[in-house]
Amino acid sequence: MKASDLLVRALENEGVEYIFGIPGEENLDLLESLRDSKIRLIVTRHEQAAGFMAATVGRLTGEVGVCMSTLGPGATNFFTSAAYALLAGLPVLFITGQKPIKKSKQGRFQIVDIVRMMEPVTHMSKQIVDANRIPYLVRDAFRLAVDEKPGPVHLELPEDVAAETTDREPFAVTTPIPPGASQTALRRAAEMVMQAKRPLLCIAAGANRQRTQSALETLIEKTGLYFVSTQMGKGAVDECHERFLGTTALSANDYVHIAIDEADLIVNFGHDLSEKPPFFMRPGGRQVIHVSYYPAEMDDVYFPQHEVIGCTAANAESLAEMIEPSEHWDFRAFAEIKQTVDEKVFGDRGDGRFPPLPQAVVAEVRDAVPSEGILSLDNGMYKIWFARNYVGHAPNTILLDNALATMGAGLPVAIAAKLVHPDRPVVAICGDGGFMMNSQELETAVRLGLDLSVIVLRDDSYGMIRWKQAEADFEDWGLRFGNPDFVQYAASYGAHGHRITEPGELRQTLEESFAAGGVHLIEMPIDYSEDHRALGEGLQSETERLRKGLA
């Protein structure tokens, strides 16, 4: 068979359902091989978006997402997506084309060393130089992509190699069983928790998985331990739980940080240094237990005193069996903080103005989206508000990136989420800045016939950086831009456009969009004028009063 046919058969053998991307001249053989495959080719409008979509398949399924591009500019457009997948720990295979390597075709035209370019942002980056090596390389790539820590891998298929013939067959797929931690490590962790006075659980990205959810819920129910989450850990345990103290959406000076400071021991489930730190360790300070698939990466702000390494779900189950509630635990401070969080964070619905404050937008979206619905958050000021105020009920229902934290991913991620979960409502939340970085994928969503809602929060500027600029006492300068008429813009792609003009209309429009089906773009003005008060000096004054009351 032809080498490109073997590559497609190897991908089918791995269970691949979708390939996202934009083919080019150098991978026409691969495109032809895909034509008769059961793998569905999703043609996108930009390679970066294809990478985000493939990474999202990896995030939601635990299996390897796949995307493809041509050489040169097509392949270089993958770099941001690969970095996104690397830092977030998402399994994805990037396949790129290349000119013939055994005979020059067009000199150095469009030739960039893509293999070396991808090496720093992948677990493996290799060129296929022989058709007979395809079975080994594909199996190895998939194995490395899902190994802990999951991440991206890259294969380059030159045009002449793709046309070669071979009699090889795909390798058998194996599924390794992840190891659990030693009993010694587990017992030591359990003893540390039971000996502490105010132990606290922190749930991060590596614990945001279906099986881990059940184990963590069992641990919390049995022991009564309080817990917080990182942004990428949101929803790992239902945040309506009476022991949930909030999300580390800010770096410091929020109510959740008072709980962290009150704790004398933190059990950190699934923490990864790639995510913005939920807390900072200091010599002689609180103790930290690191529970993860892989050892802690030591850093100036993270140097745990004990590690429990292996399958996070299995280790959470074992700790739930070993840890018994201790009479000397003192959770009075946590209980008071919980009351404050429920009132000041989850109970904050804004003040009724229009354009609305961010917390009012969050409240309306939460009212409209059912528990199993999925939010895809792009990166901007609103991401902090949704991470802080939005209550998640299940794993991977709040898809945000707090590792690379790139703008432009919100819409592509939502498209992939809808493909994986066609029976669940999916909403992309984007700022006007981030949305316009990949807005062309509206055409992809319409062409695929998806039911998808996209909220564009409009403030005609790069709002988060304006907030940072103001916090630094710099002049408000250099961050404003113009926008298209988003309603007409949506219509030009064949989507439905809506413009919100009064309080309460967002919820109604979202619910109507879910019922009607199709792609809906909802333009929503937003007022960030209160950010300094609500997230800056005003919040710091409130947390200082709470700290004094707990002292």
Side-chain angles (χ1 to χ4, degrees), residues 172-194:
V173 175
T174 57
T175 305
I177 299 174
S182 70
Q183 290 298 301
T184 301
L186 288 163
R187 280 195 297 269
R188 175 60 184 147
E191 289 168 1
M192 291 174 69
V193 173
M194 290 186 288

Side-chain angles (χ1 to χ4, degrees), residues 9 30 54 212 225 373 398 482 541:
R9 286 187 58 181
L30 180 57
T212 309
L225 291 168
I398 302 126
S541 297

